[in-house]
């Protein structure tokens, strides 16, 4: 059983988390730096020779020391099979556009196969960033996406992945904030574990102890598991990825919390009730 499955069963106990506490968390964490961001140009149609698997949702171009680059993102959720299961995938690739012969630098493909519930893989467009963190003209392309196979409203797996050239890949893998809070009508407040400010094991365990959620498996919603991929990476890479992760989780947390506070449209049953 993975951590997402465990979290679904264990984050529902009555935890009185006020709206103020949740929104203060959003305000306190540091935003991702934009100083090293590279300007991207959107592209509606990719050139011949660029492979697209599934439905294209975005494509971008930019220039660096290597030449003209292209990043394409695509995703697909299939119809249910005869056995009732569902599959989904995401696809991304970076190309160097060299004349009429695009050369693929790297490819990303992830899927959920034969899910008995609802399968979903979706890119978070806000996660797509191209940076020049070393200032040497060699860029880093970062994408992020959620992945789930579930029958309820609960946090998804989330992966934030940085590619540098053909061979270097650095990942943060954890759980997002979708479904991490919900409105309690009786208490008149949001319930749920607030967005962590520190994704270290000690930081997460301290939050678990504070909210008396002993036995909850890490990572908590809004956190990643570890930083092992960055053991030999330049320090600037990890700094950027930490800040970018928290900025994305803050955005998700704020949007989800606000959605829970919106007045619900009356149902037909409400309209006809005496």
């Amino acid at each position: 059983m993975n951590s997402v499955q465990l979290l679904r069963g264990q984050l529902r106990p009555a935890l009185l988390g006020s709206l103020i506490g949740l929104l203060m968390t959003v305000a306190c964490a540091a935003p991702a730096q934009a100083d090293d961001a590279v300007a991207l140009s959107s592209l509606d149609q990719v050139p011949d020779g660029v492979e697209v698997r599934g439905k294209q949702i975005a494509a971008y171009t930019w220039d660096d020391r290597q030449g003209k680059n292209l990043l394409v993102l695509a995703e697909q959720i299939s119809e249910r099979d005869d056995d009732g299961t569902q599959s989904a995938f995401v696809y991304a690739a970076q190309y160097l556009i060299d004349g009429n012969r695009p050369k693929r630098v790297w490819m990303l493909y992830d899927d959920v196969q034969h899910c008995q519930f609802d399968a979903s893989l979706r890119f978070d467009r806000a996660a797509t960033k191209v940076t020049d963190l070393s200032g040497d003209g060699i860029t880093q392309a970062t994408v992020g996406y959620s992945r789930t196979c579930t029958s309820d409203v609960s946090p998804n797996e989330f992966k934030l992945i940085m590619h540098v050239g053909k061979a270097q890949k650095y990942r943060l893998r954890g759980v997002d904030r979708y479904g991490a809070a919900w409105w309690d009508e009786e208490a008149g407040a949001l319930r749920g574990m607030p967005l962590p400010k520190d994704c270290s094991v000690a930081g997460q365990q301290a939050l678990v102890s504070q909210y008396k959620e002993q036995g909850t498996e890490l990572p908590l919603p809004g956190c990643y598991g570890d930083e092992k991929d960055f053991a030999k990476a330049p320090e600037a890479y990890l700094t950027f990825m930490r800040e970018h992760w928290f900025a994305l989780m803050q955005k998700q947390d704020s949007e989800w919390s606000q959605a829970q506070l919106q007045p619900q449209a009356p149902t037909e049953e409400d309209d006809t009730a005496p």
Side-chain angles (χ1 to χ4, degrees), residues 150-170:
T150 183
S151 60
D152 62 0
V153 178
S154 52
N156 308 308
E157 284 185 70
F158 193 84
K159 299 183 182 183
L160 189 63
I161 303 175
M162 171 192 285
H163 285 267
V164 187
K166 193 175 185 68
Q168 299 178 58
K169 180 169 68 173
Y170 305 97

Side-chain angles (χ1 to χ4, degrees), residues 1-7 9-10 217:
M1 181 178 294
N2 61 35
S3 61
V4 177
Q5 291 171 322
L6 285 172
L7 283 164
Q10 295 173 345
E217 185 170 316

Side-chain angles (χ1 to χ4, degrees), residues 82-182:
D82 293 340
D83 61 1
T85 63
Q86 189 175 38
S87 300
F89 69 81
V90 289
Y91 165 87
Q94 180 181 339
Y95 282 81
L96 275 174
I97 307 301
D98 184 10
N100 295 323
R101 299 179 58 189
K103 298 178 180 178
R104 191 165 67 193
V105 180
W106 55 262
M107 183 191 79
L108 177 155
Y109 180 88
D110 197 358
D111 63 9
V112 171
Q113 291 288 337
H114 308 297
C115 172
Q116 295 182 351
F117 304 109
D118 296 320
S120 179
L121 280 95
R122 295 190 183 279
F123 282 107
D124 183 342
R125 298 278 291 277
T128 305
K129 297 285 184 183
V130 174
T131 50
D132 180 6
L133 298 171
S134 302
D136 58 2
I138 303 298
T139 53
Q140 307 85 38
T142 301
V143 298
Y145 61 92
S146 60
R147 180 180 186 274
T148 191
C149 169
T150 183
S151 60
D152 62 0
V153 178
S154 52
N156 308 308
E157 284 185 70
F158 193 84
K159 299 183 182 183
L160 189 63
I161 303 175
M162 171 192 285
H163 285 267
V164 187
K166 193 175 185 68
Q168 299 178 58
K169 180 169 68 173
Y170 305 97
R171 296 162 294 187
L172 293 176
R173 291 168 287 191
V175 184
D176 68 13
R177 292 295 295 177
Y178 179 77
W182 61 97

Side-chain angles (χ1 to χ4, degrees), residues 3-273:
S3 61
V4 177
Q5 291 171 322
L6 285 172
L7 283 164
R8 289 183 184 125
Q10 295 173 345
L11 285 180
R12 295 296 184 186
L15 294 172
L16 184 57
S18 68
L19 173 62
I20 294 176
L22 284 166
L23 296 183
M24 282 182 65
T25 304
V26 172
C28 290
Q33 294 179 344
D35 297 346
D36 301 301
V38 174
L40 302 179
S41 299
S42 295
L43 196 65
D44 292 330
Q45 185 172 354
V46 299
D48 291 340
V50 173
E51 180 184 14
V52 179
R53 301 184 188 180
K55 179 182 178 181
Q56 178 181 318
I57 63 164
Y60 307 97
T61 61
W62 72 96
D63 295 312
D64 68 5
R65 203 171 79 186
Q66 303 298 313
K68 179 172 287 295
N69 296 268
L70 181 146
L71 174 66
V72 60
L73 307 178
E75 56 192 34
Q76 182 168 301
I77 300 177
S78 70
E79 298 293 332
R80 293 195 179 275
D81 294 332
D82 293 340
D83 61 1
T85 63
Q86 189 175 38
S87 300
F89 69 81
V90 289
Y91 165 87
Q94 180 181 339
Y95 282 81
L96 275 174
I97 307 301
D98 184 10
N100 295 323
R101 299 179 58 189
K103 298 178 180 178
R104 191 165 67 193
V105 180
W106 55 262
M107 183 191 79
L108 177 155
Y109 180 88
D110 197 358
D111 63 9
V112 171
Q113 291 288 337
H114 308 297
C115 172
Q116 295 182 351
F117 304 109
D118 296 320
S120 179
L121 280 95
R122 295 190 183 279
F123 282 107
D124 183 342
R125 298 278 291 277
T128 305
K129 297 285 184 183
V130 174
T131 50
D132 180 6
L133 298 171
S134 302
D136 58 2
I138 303 298
T139 53
Q140 307 85 38
T142 301
V143 298
Y145 61 92
S146 60
R147 180 180 186 274
T148 191
C149 169
T150 183
S151 60
D152 62 0
V153 178
S154 52
N156 308 308
E157 284 185 70
F158 193 84
K159 299 183 182 183
L160 189 63
I161 303 175
M162 171 192 285
H163 285 267
V164 187
K166 193 175 185 68
Q168 299 178 58
K169 180 169 68 173
Y170 305 97
R171 296 162 294 187
L172 293 176
R173 291 168 287 191
V175 184
D176 68 13
R177 292 295 295 177
Y178 179 77
W182 61 97
W183 182 255
D184 186 323
E185 291 288 350
E186 293 184 3
L190 284 172
R191 290 182 179 272
M193 189 84 73
L195 175 64
K197 299 178 183 178
D198 177 6
C199 280
S200 68
V201 172
Q204 292 186 70
Q205 288 177 340
L207 193 60
V208 168
S209 297
Q210 178 184 348
Y211 281 81
K212 298 181 173 58
E213 280 294 288
Q214 302 300 331
T216 298
E217 185 170 316
L218 305 185
L220 298 176
C223 268
Y224 50 83
D226 59 60
E227 300 172 345
K228 293 179 180 178
D229 278 10
F230 296 85
K232 297 182 179 180
E235 183 178 350
Y237 290 6
L238 178 55
T239 298
F240 167 77
M241 290 288 276
R242 279 177 181 161
E243 294 180 350
H244 193 26
W245 176 281
F246 280 111
L248 293 169
M249 294 302 111
Q250 290 160 21
K251 182 174 182 292
Q252 284 188 11
D253 191 64
S254 179
E255 291 175 349
W256 178 261
S257 297
Q258 289 293 334
Q260 305 315 298
L261 296 173
Q262 297 300 320
Q264 299 297 315
T267 63
E268 184 176 339
E269 182 178 341
D270 293 334
D271 290 339
T272 58

